[in-house]
Amino acid sequence: MKMRSKWTAFLFSKIAVGIGICYNRFMIILQANKIERSFAGEVLFDNINLQVDERDRIALVGKNGAGKSTLLKILVGEEAPSAGEVNKKRDMSLSYLAQDSRFESANTIYDEMLYVFDDLRQQEQRLRQMELSMGDLTGTDLEKLMTDYDRLSEDFRQAGGFTYEADIRAILNGFKFDESMWQMKIEELSGGQNTRLALAKMLLEKPDLLVLDEPTNHLDIETIAWLENYLSNYSGALIIVSHDRYFLDKVATVTLDLTQHSLDHYVGNYSSFVQQKEQKLLTEAKNYEKQQKEIAALEDFVNRNLVRASTTKRAQSRRKQLEKMERLDKPDRGSRSANMTFRSAKPSGNVVLTIEDAAIGYDHQVLSEPINLDIRKFNAVAIVGPNGIGKTTLIKSIVGQIPFIRGQEHLGANVELGYYDQTQSRLTPSNSVLDELWNDFKLTPEVEIRNRLGAFLFSGDDVKKSVSMLSGGERARLLLAKLSMENKNFLVLDEPTNHLDIDSKEVLENALIDFDGTLLFVSHDRYFINRVATQIIELSDTGSTLYLGDYDYYLEKKAELEALREEKATAAEPAQSQPVTNYQLQKETQKEARKLARRLEQLEAEIEELEMQATELTTAMQETNDASELMELQQKLDQLTEQQEAAMTEWEEVAEQV
C-alpha cells in the first residue's frame, strides 16, 4: 500500500503542476490601484488602474503631456504617486529603460554583457573543478560526486549555460555592436550607443517585466525590425511607450490609452486601438445626444404641464425621472486636432516624372546608380533605403537643389511641384506666423490666411509669434500650411512626419490619402509609409528597385527575393570556397558532437528514471490482490517496457555517433 500511495501522490503532483501551468498563464505580476499624480495642485492624471499579467504585451499611448513617462516611473518605483498604490509579485524581476538611460561602467562591452551571467560562469567553474576531482575519488565518494555533478550539470543546462555566449553574440550583433567593438570601453561610447547597450543588457537579463520608454530612439530601421522580432517572442511581460506606431503594431497585443482621469483598456495592437477608440467615441456621442434629446423632452413636458391640474401628477413623475437619471458626460475628444487638407489647382498629365539611368551624389562621388523612376498621376511613391544611401540627395536633385551626376529628370505636362524640406529652410525666422504665409500669398484675404492657419492649429495670439520662437512640431505644421496654400499637383516631401506628434501624423496621413494629386516622399516612419504609399522605391548602391504595394508588401517581397538569391548562391557555390566550407563544416561537426553528448546524457537519465518506475510498478503488483488493479498496473508496465526499449535503441544509435 505504501507504493500505491506513492504512485497516487505522483499522479496528484502531476495534476497540480498542470493546474499551476494554467494558472500561471494568467498570473498577475503587477497591479496599480487608484494612482494619482499631481504637481503643485495641478492633476496630471488620477483614477489610474492597471493590471499586468505574465507575457502581456502592453503599449501605453496618450497625447503628448498626458504623463506616460511619469506613469512608467511610478510603476517601476522611481517616483511616488500622489495617491494610490502599486503592488508587485514577490521576487518579480524588473528592468526599466528610460528615454535618457545611461549606465556608467569601466568594463568593456563584452565584459559588461558577461557580467549578466556571473552566477552561471561560477557554476561552470565549479563543474570544471568537479571534473578534475573525479580522477582522485573512488567508491561512495565518487558516486556522491557524480550525483552532484549530474544535478549541477542539469541545472546549468536549464539555466542556459551552454548557450549564454551565443545569446551575447546574437544580441550584440542585433544592436549593431560587431565583434570589432566588443573590447571597447563603455565610457568611450556615444550617448546613443550607450542607450543601445543598456537595452541589450536588459534583454540578456530577461526580467519578468521589461518597461521601455521610447526604445526605438537611436535605432535604425534594420535594428528596430530585429528588436520587434525579439520582443514578439520575449518570455516575460512588456510595457512600452513609443511614437513608432509600426513598432507598436508588431509588438503590442494590449493598448492602454492614458487620459487625465482614466486608463482605457483596448485588446489589440495600435491599429486595432485606433479603430476601437473611434468606434467608442462615436457610440458615446450617439448615446449622449440621445440622452440630451430625452432630457430636453422631459424638461419641456415638466415645464408645460407642472402648473396644470390635469397633468400635474404626470409632470411630477417626469421630474422624478429626470432626478433619478444618471447623466452621461459629454464625450471628450481631447485637444483639438489639426484639419489639414491638400488640393491641386489643376490636374497634371498622366506622366508626372521620369528619370532614366541617373546617378546621384556629391562632388562626383556617386551614392547610388542607376536610378530609374516612372511616376504616374495619383501614385504615392515612398523612397526607402539605408542611412547615407542618398534618399534626401535624390529628392534635392529632383527639386533642382543638387544636380544629378549623370542623367536628368523629365516632368510631365502641367506638373506643378511643391516641396517640403525637412530642414525647414524655407521659413524666415524673423517673420511672424501670419506674415510667413501672407508674404507669399499677398492677394489672399487675411481672414482666409487666418482660417488656413487655424486648420493647422495656429489660432488667436499664436499667429503673432515669430517663427524663431516656434517648436519643431509647430514649424513643421507651419511649413505644411504653407505647402497647402500652394495648391500644387505633385508634392515632394522629405521626412514630413519629423517633429509631429501622433495626432498630427494621423491627420497628415488622412490629408495625403485624400490628396487629388501625386506624391513622392522620403520617410523613416514605417506606419506612415504603410498607410500612404502605393509604391516603394528602394535605393541601394546598385541603384533603384521598384516594389508595387505598401511597406508590408515591400518587406514580404524583399524577403522572398533574398531567399531566392540564397538558394541560387547555394546551388552555384564555386569550388574555391572549399576552405571556408570546411571550416564551417568543422564548426557544425563540433556543434553536433556536443548536441549528441548532451542527448546521450539525457537518454541515460531517462532510462534510469524508467527503470525506477518499472521497479515501483512491479513492487505494487506484488502488494495487491485486486485483479482489476493488477491488469491496470500490468498495462502501465508494458508501456514503460516499450519506452525503455525505444530509449535503449536510441541510446545505442547515439552512442555509435559520439
Side-chain angles (χ1 to χ4, degrees):
M1 294 303 290
K2 184 178 177 183
M3 294 305 297
R4 193 186 306 172
S5 61
K6 188 174 179 181
W7 182 253
T8 305
F10 173 76
L11 288 175
F12 273 110
S13 70
K14 289 295 184 187
I15 293 168
V17 168
I19 294 170
I21 290 169
C22 292
Y23 175 74
N24 287 339
R25 199 173 294 168
F26 307 99
M27 184 174 288
I28 300 169
I29 62 173
L30 184 143
Q31 203 165 28
N33 300 309
K34 301 289 183 181
I35 298 296
E36 178 186 325
R37 188 72 172 98
S38 304
F39 296 94
E42 290 288 325
V43 175
L44 179 62
F45 51 72
D46 62 8
N47 194 37
I48 302 301
N49 298 294
L50 170 67
Q51 176 179 305
V52 182
D53 297 343
E54 289 183 333
R55 291 193 60 81
D56 266 354
R57 305 280 186 270
I58 298 172
L60 178 61
V61 301
K63 293 186 178 294
N64 287 354
K68 300 185 292 294
S69 294
T70 302
L71 180 56
L72 291 187
K73 289 177 180 178
I74 290 172
L75 294 177
V76 302
E78 287 204 358
E79 285 190 17
S82 305
E85 59 179 8
V86 177
N87 298 308
K88 303 180 182 106
K89 177 189 153 191
R90 187 178 296 176
D91 301 326
M92 181 194 74
S93 55
L94 182 152
S95 292
Y96 168 54
L97 181 79
Q99 290 191 39
D100 55 352
S101 283
R102 184 177 180 89
F103 64 91
E104 305 293 334
S105 174
N107 288 334
T108 65
I109 289 174
Y110 194 77
D111 286 344
E112 188 67 29
M113 299 300 104
L114 276 178
Y115 183 74
V116 174
F117 303 99
D118 209 39
D119 291 344
L120 265 180
R121 295 172 70 210
Q122 290 178 16
Q123 213 172 345
E124 188 174 20
Q125 288 179 355
R126 190 180 167 195
L127 284 170
R128 300 292 83 83
Q129 289 170 356
M130 292 170 79
E131 289 169 359
L132 292 171
S133 301
M134 288 176 185
D136 303 327
L137 299 175
T138 57
T140 56
D141 291 338
L142 181 60
E143 288 180 12
K144 183 179 182 304
L145 180 64
M146 290 298 293
T147 303
D148 292 342
Y149 180 84
D150 289 343
R151 175 181 51 77
L152 188 63
S153 184
E154 181 60 20
D155 291 345
F156 181 74
R157 184 189 65 80
Q158 290 184 0
F162 296 109
T163 61
Y164 73 87
E165 288 180 317
D167 292 342
I168 291 173
R169 286 195 297 273
I171 284 180
L172 285 178
N173 287 327
F175 281 102
K176 301 293 180 68
F177 293 105
D178 59 52
E179 199 163 348
S180 65
M181 301 176 66
W182 291 358
Q183 298 308 313
M184 279 182 65
K185 293 284 187 180
I186 290 174
E187 58 197 20
E188 298 173 3
L189 298 179
S190 67
Q193 289 174 324
N194 189 286
T195 303
R196 278 162 40 209
L197 193 66
L199 179 54
K201 188 178 179 182
M202 288 177 189
L203 296 184
L204 283 173
E205 291 170 343
K206 297 179 180 177
D208 298 325
L209 176 60
L210 195 55
V211 181
L212 307 175
D213 194 357
E214 297 292 353
T216 61
N217 287 355
H218 313 293
L219 303 181
D220 58 22
I221 287 181
E222 186 181 349
T223 308
I224 293 171
W226 178 89
L227 184 60
E228 286 166 357
N229 183 62
Y230 188 92
L231 292 180
S232 297
N233 298 290
Y234 187 69
S235 58
L238 304 169
I239 304 177
I240 301 169
V241 169
S242 178
H243 283 85
D244 189 331
R245 298 163 296 163
Y246 194 90
F247 176 78
L248 294 181
D249 257 3
K250 292 295 183 182
V251 176
T253 57
V254 174
T255 303
L256 301 180
D257 184 24
L258 179 62
T259 64
Q260 188 175 13
H261 303 297
S262 69
L263 186 65
D264 299 327
H265 184 281
Y266 298 86
V267 177
N269 61 10
Y270 183 83
S271 292
S272 176
F273 150 72
V274 171
Q275 294 173 359
Q276 291 179 64
K277 185 174 182 180
E278 186 61 29
Q279 189 58 51
K280 177 190 174 187
L281 290 171
L282 288 172
T283 303
E284 287 177 350
K286 285 179 182 177
N287 291 339
Y288 176 77
E289 289 170 9
K290 183 181 177 183
Q291 189 184 65
Q292 289 300 302
K293 288 178 182 177
E294 186 181 349
I295 290 169
L298 289 169
E299 287 176 342
D300 182 62
F301 184 90
V302 171
N303 292 334
R304 286 188 292 107
N305 294 282
L306 190 61
V307 295
R308 297 170 61 184
S310 61
T311 57
T312 297
K313 285 187 177 180
R314 281 191 290 166
Q316 288 174 340
S317 174
R318 298 290 197 283
R319 188 161 63 181
K320 286 180 180 177
Q321 189 179 341
L322 277 168
E323 290 170 354
K324 290 180 180 179
M325 184 181 290
E326 187 177 342
R327 305 210 175 189
L328 300 173
D329 295 326
K330 187 176 182 179
D332 181 18
R333 284 186 169 265
S335 59
R336 187 167 65 95
S337 294
N339 185 27
M340 302 178 190
T341 55
F342 297 91
R343 294 285 181 269
S344 60
K346 62 180 181 182
S348 70
N350 189 46
V351 177
V352 175
L353 173 69
T354 56
I355 298 174
E356 294 182 3
D357 295 331
I360 58 168
Y362 292 90
D363 301 325
H364 303 289
Q365 183 179 350
V366 175
L367 295 174
S368 178
E369 71 168 332
I371 294 173
N372 295 284
L373 298 182
D374 183 11
I375 298 176
R376 301 300 171 110
K377 187 179 180 181
F378 302 136
N379 282 348
V381 183
I383 302 172
V384 301
N387 292 345
I389 199 62
K391 299 185 293 293
T392 294
T393 305
L394 175 59
I395 291 291
K396 287 182 176 180
S397 296
I398 290 170
V399 301
Q401 292 188 2
I402 299 173
F404 288 97
I405 293 176
R406 280 183 288 280
Q408 58 182 347
E409 64 180 309
H410 299 282
L411 292 176
N414 298 322
V415 172
E416 294 181 342
L417 190 152
Y419 173 48
Y420 178 95
D421 180 9
Q422 67 164 312
T423 64
Q424 301 171 342
S425 60
R426 294 178 63 205
L427 298 175
T428 306
S430 59
N431 279 345
S432 70
V433 169
L434 181 62
D435 289 339
E436 185 64 37
L437 262 66
W438 212 352
N439 289 348
D440 285 359
F441 305 96
K442 296 182 185 296
L443 300 178
T444 306
E446 181 180 349
V447 64
E448 191 174 326
I449 297 284
R450 286 181 175 272
N451 287 339
R452 184 62 60 99
L453 287 171
F456 285 78
L457 299 183
F458 295 101
S459 58
D461 291 338
D462 289 341
V463 301
K464 298 176 183 177
K465 288 183 181 176
S466 70
V467 172
S468 60
M469 293 175 59
L470 300 180
S471 68
E474 288 172 327
R475 286 197 298 272
R477 282 190 278 109
L478 180 58
L479 193 55
L480 288 168
K482 197 171 183 178
L483 184 64
S484 76
M485 291 282 295
E486 296 174 357
N487 295 327
K488 305 294 188 182
N489 55 31
F490 179 37
L491 300 184
V492 180
L493 314 173
D494 190 8
E495 298 288 357
T497 62
N498 279 5
H499 310 295
L500 296 180
D501 60 24
I502 287 182
D503 280 349
S504 296
K505 286 179 184 179
E506 290 175 349
V507 172
L508 176 61
E509 286 161 6
N510 293 329
L512 293 177
I513 290 168
D514 294 336
F515 176 53
D516 59 350
T518 307
L519 293 172
L520 177 67
F521 63 93
V522 170
S523 178
H524 283 85
D525 189 330
R526 297 167 299 162
Y527 193 93
F528 177 82
I529 297 172
N530 219 31
R531 284 204 68 204
V532 177
T534 59
Q535 297 180 4
I536 306 289
I537 295 288
E538 182 187 54
L539 287 191
S540 67
D541 53 6
T542 57
S544 62
T545 307
L546 173 66
Y547 296 86
L548 301 176
D550 59 15
Y551 190 79
D552 283 341
Y553 176 81
Y554 154 71
L555 290 180
E556 183 183 333
K557 197 67 181 175
K558 191 176 178 183
E560 288 178 7
L561 293 171
E562 186 63 32
L564 189 63
R565 276 195 294 269
E566 287 180 1
E567 285 179 14
K568 288 181 178 178
T570 303
E573 194 169 280
Q576 57 263 34
S577 65
Q578 195 64 38
V580 176
T581 304
N582 286 341
Y583 172 75
Q584 292 172 341
L585 185 63
Q586 184 183 357
K587 296 290 287 184
E588 287 296 321
T589 303
Q590 292 172 353
K591 184 179 176 182
E592 187 64 25
R594 290 194 296 270
K595 184 178 175 182
L596 288 170
R598 288 197 296 271
R599 181 56 183 159
L600 200 64
E601 291 178 6
Q602 291 171 359
L603 285 168
E604 289 170 354
E606 188 180 328
I607 291 167
E608 188 177 344
E609 177 64 24
L610 290 169
E611 287 175 353
M612 289 174 61
Q613 292 180 25
T615 304
E616 290 176 359
L617 285 173
T618 303
T619 306
M621 291 172 69
Q622 293 171 353
E623 293 181 353
T624 183
N625 294 317
D626 189 324
S628 62
E629 188 177 358
L630 276 169
M631 289 177 65
E632 185 182 346
L633 290 170
Q634 183 61 51
Q635 188 177 0
K636 290 179 180 178
L637 185 61
D638 291 342
Q639 290 174 353
L640 278 177
T641 304
E642 288 179 10
Q643 292 175 23
Q644 279 182 295
E645 289 175 356
M648 284 298 299
T649 303
E650 187 180 352
W651 183 91
E652 290 172 359
E653 292 172 355
V654 173
E656 288 177 2
Q657 299 176 55
V658 174

